C-alpha cells in the first residue's frame, strides 16, 4: 500500500464514514452500539449533547471502559485543580457509573459518539474542545481526522499497543502513519509500547509508566466487608478474579482438588462479566458445589464452597477477603487482566501464561517475587495449595507485590510533565477569564 493510496483512503473514509469502510471503523461503530449504552442517553452516541457547554477552556477526555476511566481519574483531578472544564466520554454504563462515583459533578459525562462523521462533527461543533486526551489504545480514525482538521491538539496517554494490534497496524503502516501524524504527543506505558508507536509513525513519543499504578486501591464498603468477613470467619480463602469462560469451572475444579487438604476452604470467583452468573451457578452446582451469590445477598455458611462475586464495582471488597488471587483472561483466554489491583491490596498474584497485554507489569512483579505464572489447572492447584500451607512464603509474595507497585509509581507526574505545554495556555486562559469575571 503506497503512502498516496493511504492518504486517499483516509480522505474517502472521512467523507463516506465507517459504514463504507468496515475494516477501519465498522467494528468501532458495532461495538459502541452493542447494548452497552444507557437507553435514556442513546442520542449522545450520535453526538447529540445532553448538557450545555460551560464557558472557558475545555478538555475532552476519552476513556473506553472501567479500567481506563479509573486510570485517568488522578490526571483529571489534577487538571480540574487549574479551573479547566472537562467533558469525559466513556463507552459503557459501568464506566459511566465509575465516573459518577469518583468525579461526580466536577466533570461533564457523555457517552462517546460513534466514529461516524455526522456524530463526531455534531459532538465537536457543540463542545469545541481546546484539547483532546485519549486513554490507552483507542484509535478511532474518524475522530482523529476530524480533530486534526479542526487543529485540536490530540494526546494519547497511558498508550498501549497489544501484540495483535501492533501486528494489524503494521500491515497498514501508511494508514497508521497518516493517522498518527495528527497526534501532538503519545505518552506510552512502557518502552516496548513506545517503540511500537514510533514504528507506526507517532512523534513525539515519551514513556511514562502505567497510570493505573498511581491510582488508589479499589475501595470497599466497610459495613459489607465486615459482615462477609464475619460469615467467613477463620476459613482459608483464595480467589479467581476477572475470569473468562472456562476459568470459573477451572477454579471450581481446583477447589474440589484442594478441599480434602484444606477442609474448610472457601473459593471466591469473580467473573469479568457478571451477566454470566446464572449460567455459572448452573455449571458450578452441577459439579456438586454449594454456591452463594453476592448479588442476591446469599449468606456464606459452613457448607458454602463458592462465593460468586457477581456484582459490579466491588473488586476491592473481594480482594480484601483473601491473600491469594488468580487473575483471569490468562488461562483459557488471551491477553490477561491487570494484576495491579491485587498487588496493591497485598495479595499474592497467580496467572496463566497468556498475559501479553500486561507483559511489562507481570514481568516486574515476577522479577520481584510478587507474582507467579502457572501453566495449567494442576499447576494452579499446586500453587494455591503451597501458598495456603506456607504463611511465610505467602506473605513474602504479598509484600513483594506491594513493594513492586510502589517502585512503579510516578506515571502521573511524568504524564503531567508531557501535558504541560498543552495545559499551560489553558490555565492562563482560565485565569484571565476569572479576572475578567471579577
Amino acid at each position: 500500500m503506497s503512502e498516496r493510496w493511504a492518504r486517499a483512503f483516509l480522505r474517502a473514509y472521512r467523507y463516506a464514514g465507517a459504514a463504507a469502510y468496515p475494516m477501519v471503523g465498522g467494528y468501532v461503530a458495532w461495538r459502541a452500539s452493542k447494548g452497552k449504552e444507557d437507553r435514556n442517553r442513546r442520542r449522545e452516541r450520535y453526538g447529540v449533547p445532553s448538557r450545555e457547554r460551560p464557558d472557558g477552556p475545555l478538555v475532552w477526555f476519552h476513556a473506553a471502559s472501567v479500567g481506563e476511566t479509573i486510570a485517568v481519574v488522578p490526571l483529571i483531578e489534577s487538571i480540574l485543580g487549574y479551573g479547566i472544564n472537562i467533558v469525559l466520554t466513556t463507552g459503557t454504563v459501568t464506566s459511566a457509573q465509575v465516573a459518577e462515583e469518583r468525579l461526580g459533578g466536577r466533570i461533564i459525562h457523555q457517552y462517546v459518539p460513534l466514529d461516524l462523521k455526522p456524530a463526531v462533527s455534531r459532538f465537536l461543533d457543540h463542545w469545541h474542545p481546546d484539547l483532546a486526551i485519549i486513554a490507552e489504545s483507542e484509535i478511532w480514525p474518524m475522530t482523529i481526522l476530524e480533530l486534526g482538521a479542526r487543529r485540536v491538539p490530540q494526546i494519547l496517554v497511558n498508550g498501549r499497543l497489544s501484540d495483535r494490534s501492533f501486528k494489524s497496524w503494521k500491515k497498514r503502516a501508511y494508514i497508521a502513519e497518516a493517522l498518527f501524524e495528527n497526534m501532538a504527543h503519545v505518552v506510552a506505558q512502557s518502552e516496548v509500547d513506545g517503540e511500537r508507536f514510533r514504528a507506526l509513525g507517532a512523534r513525539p513519543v515519551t514513556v511514562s509508566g502505567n497510570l493505573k499504578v498511581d491510582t488508589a486501591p479499589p475501595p470497599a464498603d466497610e459495613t459489607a466487608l465486615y459482615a462477609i468477613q464475619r460469615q467467613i470467619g477463620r476459613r482459608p480463602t483464595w480467589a479467581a478474579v476477572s475470569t473468562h469462560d472456562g476459568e470459573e469451572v477451572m477454579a471450581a475444579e481446583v477447589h474440589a482438588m484442594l478441599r480434602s487438604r484444606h477442609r474448610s476452604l472457601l473459593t471466591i470467583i469473580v467473573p469479568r462479566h457478571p451477566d454470566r452468573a446464572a449460567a455459572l451457578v448452573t455449571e458450578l452446582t452441577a459439579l456438586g458445589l454449594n454456591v452463594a451469590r453476592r448479588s442476591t445477598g446469599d449468606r456464606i455458611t459452613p457448607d458454602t464452597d463458592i462465593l460468586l462475586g457477581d456484582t459490579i464495582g466491588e473488586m476491592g471488597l473481594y480482594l480484601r477477603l483473601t491473600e491469594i488471587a488468580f487473575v483471569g483472561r490468562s488461562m483459557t483466554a488471551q491477553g490477561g487482566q491487570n494484576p495491579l489491583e491485587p498487588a496493591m491490596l497485598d495479595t499474592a498474584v497467580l496467572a496463566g501464561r497468556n498475559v501479553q497485554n500486561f507483559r511489562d507489569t507481570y514481568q516486574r512483579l515476577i522479577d520481584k517475587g510478587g507474582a507467579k505464572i502457572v501453566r495449567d489447572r494442576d499447576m494452579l492447584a499446586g500453587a494455591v495449595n503451597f501458598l495456603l500451607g506456607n504463611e511465610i512464603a505467602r506473605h513474602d509474595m504479598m509484600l513483594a507485590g506491594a513493594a513492586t507497585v510502589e517502585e512503579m509509581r510516578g506515571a502521573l507526574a511524568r504524564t503531567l510533565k508531557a501535558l504541560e505545554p498543552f495545559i499551560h495556555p489553558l490555565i492562563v486562559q482560565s485565569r484571565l477569564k476569572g479576572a475578567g469575571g471579577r
Side-chain angles (χ1 to χ4, degrees):
M1 181 185 294
S2 69
E3 182 175 1
R4 180 180 298 176
W5 189 94
R7 294 185 185 281
F9 176 93
L10 287 173
R11 281 197 300 273
Y13 174 81
R14 184 178 173 199
Y15 291 104
Y21 295 98
M23 178 191 77
V24 179
Y27 172 71
V28 172
W30 169 81
R31 184 184 68 175
S33 62
K34 194 175 182 289
K36 294 184 177 181
E37 73 281 356
D38 182 339
R39 290 182 179 275
N40 295 325
R41 297 172 57 185
R42 183 172 288 176
R43 284 164 58 84
E44 292 175 22
R45 291 292 200 187
Y46 300 95
V48 179
S50 60
R51 298 275 298 276
E52 292 297 318
R53 187 200 190 281
D55 292 334
L58 182 142
V59 174
W60 171 22
F61 267 87
H62 174 64
S65 58
V66 171
E68 292 84 357
T69 303
I70 292 172
V72 298
V73 164
L75 189 58
I76 288 173
E77 289 178 327
S78 297
I79 294 174
L80 285 171
Y82 297 122
I84 297 171
N85 300 302
I86 289 177
V87 58
L88 169 65
T89 58
T90 66
T92 65
V93 172
T94 50
S95 53
Q97 292 170 347
V98 169
E100 173 61 28
E101 291 167 3
R102 305 207 177 190
L103 296 165
R106 292 181 292 165
I107 56 102
I108 297 170
H109 176 269
Q110 300 282 277
Y111 284 105
V112 67
L114 296 174
D115 197 41
L116 304 169
K117 181 174 171 57
V120 175
S121 295
R122 196 176 293 118
F123 179 89
L124 296 177
D125 287 345
H126 177 79
W127 294 106
H128 289 289
D130 299 284
L131 174 66
I133 299 176
I134 304 161
E136 294 210 9
S137 54
E138 290 286 281
I139 300 172
W140 289 18
M142 180 60 66
T143 301
I144 290 173
L145 293 171
E146 283 298 298
L147 285 167
R150 296 168 188 242
R151 300 187 182 278
V152 178
Q154 306 174 59
I155 302 173
L156 184 67
V157 299
N158 218 37
R160 176 173 63 87
L161 276 175
S162 68
D163 295 349
R164 182 181 297 179
S165 294
F166 181 59
K167 184 178 180 180
S168 177
W169 281 112
K170 281 282 285 183
K171 293 177 180 177
R172 305 171 182 89
Y174 285 117
I175 292 179
E177 187 170 350
L179 287 171
F180 279 117
E181 72 177 10
N182 289 278
M183 290 284 177
H185 202 121
V186 171
V187 187
Q189 284 188 24
S190 70
E191 293 293 346
V192 170
D193 292 308
E195 286 304 316
R196 287 177 172 181
F197 281 113
R198 292 186 189 101
L200 294 177
R203 300 287 189 279
V205 177
T206 56
V207 177
S208 66
N210 193 337
L211 277 175
K212 292 176 182 176
V213 181
D214 285 352
T215 61
D221 181 280
E222 291 295 331
T223 301
L225 177 62
Y226 178 68
I228 296 175
Q229 286 173 331
R230 287 195 64 183
Q231 293 173 27
I232 294 173
R234 299 177 63 84
R235 295 176 64 177
T237 65
W238 77 286
V241 302
S242 300
T243 52
H244 287 242
D245 189 26
E247 291 173 332
E248 296 88 6
V249 169
M250 180 191 67
E253 291 172 344
V254 169
H255 175 89
M257 295 165 69
L258 297 182
R259 62 182 171 181
S260 62
R261 297 187 182 188
H262 307 277
R263 293 187 182 280
S264 57
L265 180 65
L266 177 71
T267 295
I268 302 161
I269 298 178
V270 186
R272 176 69 172 173
H273 302 293
D275 56 358
R276 298 171 52 232
L280 288 175
V281 170
T282 301
E283 285 187 282
L284 300 178
T285 54
L287 296 173
L289 302 174
N290 291 319
V291 180
R293 291 181 64 174
R294 168 71 178 146
S295 64
T296 55
D298 296 346
R299 284 187 60 82
I300 299 168
T301 69
D303 294 329
T304 301
D305 294 296
I306 307 291
L307 169 60
L308 186 62
D310 56 342
T311 55
I312 293 172
E314 291 196 306
M315 185 62 77
L317 182 146
Y318 300 123
L319 289 172
R320 285 175 172 87
L321 297 174
T322 189
E323 295 180 343
I324 305 165
F326 167 80
V327 182
R329 201 187 176 191
S330 62
M331 194 77 81
T332 63
Q334 296 287 326
Q337 296 287 169
N338 194 344
L340 286 171
E341 289 183 346
M344 285 178 186
L345 289 172
D346 300 323
T347 307
V349 175
L350 303 171
R353 293 181 292 182
N354 303 319
V355 294
Q356 301 91 329
N357 291 351
F358 300 93
R359 183 183 290 115
D360 182 66
T361 302
Y362 270 104
Q363 192 60 60
R364 287 172 180 253
L365 286 168
I366 291 166
D367 288 347
K368 297 292 185 179
K372 180 179 176 61
I373 297 298
V374 292
R375 184 174 53 253
D376 52 27
R377 182 201 64 183
D378 291 348
M379 192 173 176
L380 173 61
V384 173
N385 179 58
F386 174 78
L387 291 171
L388 286 171
N390 293 269
E391 185 175 357
I392 293 175
R394 184 172 73 249
H395 284 181
D396 284 348
M397 218 171 152
M398 293 158 56
L399 291 172
T404 303
V405 171
E406 286 303 315
E407 290 177 8
M408 292 172 66
R409 292 192 187 277
L412 177 61
R414 289 187 284 270
T415 300
L416 285 169
K417 184 176 181 180
L419 291 176
E420 187 176 354
F422 306 95
I423 297 294
H424 184 71
L426 304 185
I427 296 173
V428 173
Q429 186 181 338
S430 176
R431 289 174 179 171
L432 289 173
K433 177 181 176 295
R438 291 195 296 271

